Amino acid sequence: MEEYREEELTLPAEPMLLHMGPSHPAMHGTVRCVVKLDGETVVGSDVQIGYLHRGFEKECEWGTWTQVFPYTDRLNYASPLLNNIGYALAVEKLLGLQVPARCQYIRVILGELARICDHSVCSAAMAMELGAFTVFLYLVKAREWIFDILEEVTGARVTHAFCRIGGLRWDLPENFADRVRSVLPKSLEAIHECEQLLLRNRIFMDRTMGVGTITPERALAWGWTGPCLRSTGVAYDVRKAHPYLVYEDLDFDIPVGSQGDNYDRFVCRLEEIRQSARIVMQALDKLPDGPIAVPDDTGILLPQKLETYTTIERTIQHFKIIMEGIQVPPGEVYSYSEAANGELGFYLVSNGSGKPWKCRVRPPCFANVQALSELTRGRLLPDIIPTFGSINMIGGECDR
Amino acid sequence: MTTFFVVATAAKLVLFLVGIITCGALMVWVERRMSAMIQDRIGPVRANAGPFRLWGLVHIAADGLKMMIKEDFIPRRADKLLHALAPMLAIFPVLVTFAVVPFGPTIDFGHLGSVNHLGPLFEGRWATTLQVAQVDVGLLFVLAIAGTGVVGAVIAGAASDNRYSLLGSLRAASQLVSYEVTLGLSLVGCVLVFGTLRLEDMVLWQHHHTWGVVVQPLGFVLFLAAAIAESKRTPFDLPEGESEIVAGYFVEYSGMKFAAFYLGELMEIGVLACFLAVFFFGGWDVPFLRADGIHLSLPMLGAKFWAMPHWSVVLLQLGAFGLKVCGLIFLQMAIRWTLPRMRYDQLMELGWKAILPLSLANVAVTAVVLHALR
Amino acid sequence: MPYVVKRPERDIWEQSYIPETVRGMGVTLRHFFRNVIGRRDTVTILYPEVQRPYPPRFRGLHRLTQRDDGSPRCTACMCCQTACPAECIHIVAGSYPDGHPLAFVEKYPAEFWIDELRCVFCGLCVEACPCDAIRMDTGLHARPVEARPHLMYERNLLLSITDAKGDVLTANPRKK
């Protein structure tokens, strides 16, 4: 067929502008893609974020260091505990504080459980948007059981607000280890069923393989991290590259992809669920006894409740922490950890008052979602959906 | 034309129309309930009639009432006439194609109690065939009417003044037209084997010989694929594709107009199940059951025969047809809740590069084999 | 160690659609028949009729604990109001007159408002209370109401709410 240029024709066809979102089933209500369509081919797309902007960073400057925890729950609301941990680690780094071993192990266990939740809900949403509704509900079921455990530990299903600077809100409940050991295999079984339904199904392979492909170089250039980067073959995981907490003592592998397409991202997430389950099981075996927080006399954590009720010294200490906030020495710090979507960074500046002077978040999916426009250009309209799904843009984190 | 003929036809027509619309409504329930059971949910049981929940069956009535009292919204810049016409055009082929489905053999009201020695199809003073219209070109009629299904979808999309609808109707047009070809071609094998276009004679052939799925297994698979594509359900639900183009061509419809599309689609599952049963599963045929009773010829026991009165044979055969249709509806639903959605270009590739050549090959092979056997 | 995830080969098994569809239907229909014929294995519950017991740590609606004589434990110290990140607590302090049996605690909440619509249920107020006066162990969640004021909980209502076991008292041993 002879090549022709549209604009040279007598009656050129104009591309159609389609506003996908924010109220579009696949856009989660938090993002808008303005796509320019030639038929169904995407000529160009403009990804507009910010629909879930709440002024997180400014809110943090208002509250004390402790009051930031409920806000961090709402960053990546699919895995709030990982944000809790990331923020706690950042403030502890600024304080030069090392939390006790038991606390570190508990953080690892809960963090990995949260990662399992996040990866399953991301894979679930992606599958649902491809029309596999059954897979969505199986994966959500797997997450539901883990949510039950997290609720028993933290007292809330999503908005845990569980970490504290220098420790945790509570120790684990008594039957925690047994609950996890019984529930995790059930969840993995549900995930296995989804793999049976999708991974070798040709329709799913056609929809995801070779779609949304990105090279490792481009991914790094965009600042990608997390499962999305690893799907391109770059084995960068903060837990391995810059170990924090007790990840060094635990044995786990990093699943990487080879093509960097949607299929690799999907499979990488499911594999990471397996690795996280491995970490949880090991950490449960190794879980040491001991305190879950730094000692009271550091003036970081609130004193023991019974002592607060009965002694005036502890009451005064309690009041000082509540009314003035934790005294963090002036300085600045950048701390990063591996959240579900990649490297979650907190850049904190303290001026010595009880409140953060600045709290900047490096949300992993902000970097990831930048590439969406590039990934979908020249492809078909339906390809936007799995690509967007596998990037796992979480509005709370991206827009802050 | 006797009075009995007119009365019988009118009765069949009314019975059938009521039947299909009930069937469409029931399908809503089946779809919800079945998906719930597959997905480990309870499903909808909230609506109740006093203390009775009836496993969610009351929802059908609740939905119907809701659809009726909902605002009938028409976009400001939509073409009002076409917007109103489209749902009717979409539901029309479904209702009409039902007319030629032979859902049972001839029933003779004069000899209900006696043993029938005339065979399944015969004529008599008080006899009528359980089929609304006996059309000589039955199969062609079905394909011709089914082909008009695309019109409703296209008009709906074009008249709605919505870009998602437009994309949906474009997809619907190309998909339905492409799969129309295969839908017909995959049945040519059957026509060659059965040697007739009349649906009732097709069933008769299967009644005397063997079921269509045995002689045309490939034809069955191809027709099933094309049929699901025609009814626009997952994995071929691109014209609707709710996560891509929201609801496709009927995104701007509400109230009873939406219900027409929705029910039309669900009734189409029923129609297709009927046709699958007629073409490939022997229609009302029950193995070993002849018009006069059960004929068994087992290698050990030799030939056995039990005579049965006419009414019980017809009842059994009607029941068999219903059972087959239910099973095929179940199959279509199970496929819908298992598979993800295809992409537009992949769908076209599947249609034109895989299913079409395969159905042509099926026709050729069938023809050659039939010629060799003659 | 990094390892590369599997990508299935595309041979006739996958390319012909049918075997994998049948395998997938095996999974879905197994669930279907288990739920229809065998033991019902649903994850969802019929909510208002069937209620899931909340775990002991569940942070629900607030309550104010009482002393033995039924007066509020709260001394209107404003800790919870300060610690609340959502600013949903409003306290007006009053003081017991001289000669009152509770004059030794000096202050009490003349008004105590919690806007349960604003509350984010983070539990920081409970943690911040130095005398175990405010708790969230009621095992109740904020149910939908018809008007906003219905979820503005005031002092006496908060005092009347019990914990999940029906207790109104507190763990604070000081000066009962």
Side-chain angles (χ1 to χ4, degrees), chain B residues 73-75 78-87 159-160 252-253 257:
Chain B
F73 178 78
I74 301 174
D79 187 322
K80 300 219 167 31
L81 175 70
L82 291 181
H83 189 267
L85 197 63
S160 292
E252 293 287 5
Y253 282 89
K257 286 181 190 162

Side-chain angles (χ1 to χ4, degrees), chain C:
Chain C
M1 284 306 292
Y3 65 96
V4 179
V5 295
K6 278 200 293 263
R7 285 172 79 89
E9 296 294 315
R10 284 169 158 254
D11 48 31
I12 185 76
W13 178 272
E14 283 88 12
Q15 292 299 83
S16 62
Y17 292 99
I18 298 166
E20 276 302 311
T21 306
V22 172
R23 203 163 73 115
M25 278 164 69
V27 175
T28 47
L29 291 182
R30 194 167 65 231
H31 279 266
F32 177 80
F33 286 115
R34 197 176 62 204
N35 284 326
V36 171
I37 300 168
R39 195 173 50 85
R40 187 67 68 81
D41 193 21
T42 47
V43 198
T44 48
I45 52 173
L46 259 183
Y47 163 62
E49 291 89 347
V50 184
Q51 299 219 359
R52 201 170 58 89
Y54 286 126
R57 288 179 180 180
F58 175 77
R59 296 194 297 266
L61 292 176
H62 305 77
R63 69 184 176 104
L64 289 178
T65 58
Q66 300 176 9
R67 288 169 200 277
D68 290 340
D69 62 355
S71 59
R73 256 285 166 198
C74 177
T75 56
C77 71
M78 309 284 175
C79 271
C80 53
Q81 191 179 330
T82 313
C84 180
E87 296 183 22
C88 70
I89 304 179
H90 175 68
I91 305 172
V92 176
S95 56
Y96 288 113
D98 287 341
H100 191 277
L102 286 170
F104 66 92
V105 268
E106 292 177 7
K107 279 164 69 190
Y108 71 96
E111 280 182 41
F112 196 113
W113 291 95
I114 298 182
D115 184 349
E116 300 285 2
L117 286 170
R118 244 193 115 101
C119 177
V120 296
F121 297 94
C122 62
L124 289 182
C125 54
V126 180
E127 215 178 325
C129 184
C131 51
D132 197 21
I134 186 167
R135 283 197 171 197
M136 296 176 85
D137 57 358
T138 51
L140 305 169
H141 58 263
R143 285 162 199 251
V145 290
E146 302 208 335
R148 278 166 181 262
H150 296 179
L151 273 175
M152 299 284 283
Y153 281 16
E154 53 82 47
R155 196 192 82 151
N156 290 340
L157 178 64
L158 288 166
L159 276 169
S160 68
I161 302 175
T162 63
D163 70 3
K165 292 195 195 71
D167 207 355
V168 290
L169 299 177
T170 167
N172 183 356
R174 189 158 134 207
K175 291 173 188 164
K176 289 248 175 184

Side-chain angles (χ1 to χ4, degrees), chain B residues 187-348:
Chain B
L187 287 178
V188 172
C190 282
V191 174
L192 287 175
V193 175
F194 303 153
T196 175
L197 286 174
R198 289 168 68 98
L199 268 62
E200 57 274 25
D201 289 348
M202 288 183 166
V203 177
L204 206 59
W205 189 92
Q206 296 177 65
H207 180 63
H208 289 311
H209 299 87
T210 180
W211 285 4
V213 68
V214 181
V215 286
Q216 286 285 315
L218 184 63
F220 167 66
V221 174
L222 296 174
F223 182 75
L224 181 66
I228 296 177
E230 280 296 300
S231 66
K232 305 184 281 287
R233 287 169 60 80
T234 318
F236 304 107
D237 64 342
L238 302 113
E240 284 145 40
E242 87 270 13
S243 55
E244 294 160 16
I245 48 172
V246 194
Y249 56 89
F250 58 80
V251 68
E252 293 287 5
Y253 282 89
S254 58
M256 280 314 277
K257 286 181 190 162
F258 169 78
F261 279 115
Y262 191 63
L263 274 184
E265 188 189 310
L266 286 167
M267 284 192 288
E268 204 166 346
I269 302 168
V271 181
L272 292 169
C274 287
F275 286 129
L276 277 165
V278 166
F279 296 137
F280 297 102
F281 291 93
W284 41 259
D285 172 52
V286 183
F288 308 116
L289 185 69
R290 297 283 159 245
D292 49 356
I294 297 173
H295 289 261
L296 263 185
S297 57
L298 293 172
M300 295 288 181
L301 303 162
K304 298 259 178 185
F305 170 66
W306 292 273
M308 285 172 79
H310 180 53
W311 64 268
S312 62
V313 171
V314 172
L315 217 59
L316 262 177
Q317 288 174 335
L318 269 176
F321 184 70
L323 213 64
K324 285 171 193 172
V325 169
C326 287
L328 289 162
I329 289 173
F330 182 81
L331 178 71
Q332 293 184 56
M333 294 266 180
I335 291 175
R336 189 252 176 275
W337 292 106
T338 303
L339 292 179
R341 183 181 308 122
M342 299 182 99
R343 202 172 64 201
Y344 178 64
D345 56 329
Q346 291 157 358
L347 180 92
M348 287 296 141

Side-chain angles (χ1 to χ4, degrees), chain A residues 318-333:
Chain A
H318 181 97
F319 267 75
K320 278 194 74 79
I321 294 173
I322 294 291
M323 294 296 173
E324 292 168 5
I326 296 164
Q327 298 303 308
V328 176
E332 55 186 272
V333 71

Side-chain angles (χ1 to χ4, degrees), chain A residues 18 26 80 140 184 335 345 356:
Chain A
L18 188 70
V140 166
L184 216 47
S335 161

Side-chain angles (χ1 to χ4, degrees), chain B residues 36-274:
Chain B
M37 290 296 108
I38 284 178
Q39 296 161 350
D40 291 349
R41 295 182 286 119
I42 296 175
V45 288
R46 202 37 74 192
N48 55 44
F52 304 109
R53 286 207 164 124
L54 301 175
W55 310 280
L57 269 171
V58 189
H59 271 274
I60 299 172
D63 278 348
L65 193 66
K66 188 191 87 173
M67 289 296 184
M68 271 181 245
I69 57 178
K70 270 192 97 165
E71 183 195 356
D72 178 22
F73 178 78
I74 301 174
R76 195 157 44 90
R77 284 170 55 199
D79 187 322
K80 300 219 167 31
L81 175 70
L82 291 181
H83 189 267
L85 197 63
M88 297 175 212
L89 286 176
I91 205 165
F92 161 78
V94 187
L95 294 174
V96 172
T97 43
F98 251 122
V100 291
V101 176
F103 54 104
T106 301
I107 181 165
D108 190 344
F109 289 101
H111 303 90
L112 277 179
S114 57
V115 177
N116 170 20
H117 293 290
L118 297 170
L121 295 181
F122 57 89
E123 291 188 2
R125 187 160 150 59
W126 300 109
T128 180
T129 307
L130 292 175
Q131 182 182 16
V132 176
Q134 283 162 295
V135 185
D136 283 340
V137 287
L139 183 65
L140 296 184
F141 173 79
V142 171
L143 293 175
I145 297 294
T148 63
V150 64
V151 179
V154 170
I155 289 185
S160 292
D161 184 39
N162 181 312
R163 289 174 186 187
Y164 288 116
S165 311
L166 187 66
L167 283 173
S169 64
L170 283 176
R171 284 180 179 195
S174 44
Q175 173 179 334
L176 294 189
V177 168
S178 306
Y179 277 80
E180 204 71 55
V181 181
T182 330
L183 197 71
L185 270 178
S186 59
L187 287 178
V188 172
C190 282
V191 174
L192 287 175
V193 175
F194 303 153
T196 175
L197 286 174
R198 289 168 68 98
L199 268 62
E200 57 274 25
D201 289 348
M202 288 183 166
V203 177
L204 206 59
W205 189 92
Q206 296 177 65
H207 180 63
H208 289 311
H209 299 87
T210 180
W211 285 4
V213 68
V214 181
V215 286
Q216 286 285 315
L218 184 63
F220 167 66
V221 174
L222 296 174
F223 182 75
L224 181 66
I228 296 177
E230 280 296 300
S231 66
K232 305 184 281 287
R233 287 169 60 80
T234 318
F236 304 107
D237 64 342
L238 302 113
E240 284 145 40
E242 87 270 13
S243 55
E244 294 160 16
I245 48 172
V246 194
Y249 56 89
F250 58 80
V251 68
E252 293 287 5
Y253 282 89
S254 58
M256 280 314 277
K257 286 181 190 162
F258 169 78
F261 279 115
Y262 191 63
L263 274 184
E265 188 189 310
L266 286 167
M267 284 192 288
E268 204 166 346
I269 302 168
V271 181
L272 292 169
C274 287

